[in-house]
Amino acid sequence: MSRDNDRPSYMVELWSWEVRDDGSRRSLVCDTRVLTGCDLLEALSWCRHNQPNPGCFVLYAGSWTNTGHLERLWLTGQAPQSTIGDPRSGAVSYFAAE
């Protein structure tokens, strides 16, 4: 964050399942988005509104480094593969889009 832009960015993982005709879950899909220009409550509202069904979301606060990476801090949510222990997903840092 900088003096010019003191609002954090938020990274969202939207997790969904491919569902077979018989209703069973087949495979996981993760759609990652970066939200800017919003506060925490707006980011959380966006997550709830865009959460897949069936699915879930993971929300992080982040700030961009001078090398273009998003350093993030887990806020809420749980990735589907995280059933025991650490509730955060296994996502990595992201480069800023040019």
Side-chain angles (χ1 to χ4, degrees):
M1 293 187 284
S2 69
R3 286 185 186 169
D4 296 333
N5 182 11
D6 62 354
R7 297 180 95 175
S9 294
Y10 296 94
M11 188 180 95
V12 180
E13 295 174 349
L14 297 171
W15 290 91
S16 60
W17 290 269
E18 182 180 330
V19 179
R20 294 184 179 113
D21 290 336
D22 66 4
S24 63
R25 295 177 180 169
R26 180 176 164 193
S27 61
L28 283 171
V29 176
C30 180
D31 182 18
T32 304
R33 304 288 177 99
V34 175
L35 307 178
T36 58
C38 60
D39 65 25
L40 176 58
L41 294 178
E42 292 168 324
L44 189 55
S45 176
W46 187 94
C47 291
R48 289 181 177 147
H49 179 75
N50 290 283
Q51 178 176 337
N53 185 14
C56 58
F57 68 86
V58 182
L59 177 62
Y60 303 90
S63 62
W64 295 98
T65 68
N66 58 359
T67 59
H69 287 88
L70 180 65
E71 292 186 343
R72 58 203 174 99
L73 172 68
W74 174 81
L75 297 175
T76 190
Q78 183 171 345
Q81 76 272 23
S82 301
T83 57
I84 300 174
D86 187 356
R88 296 167 286 185
S89 79
V92 297
S93 297
Y94 288 83
F95 285 107
E98 304 226 12

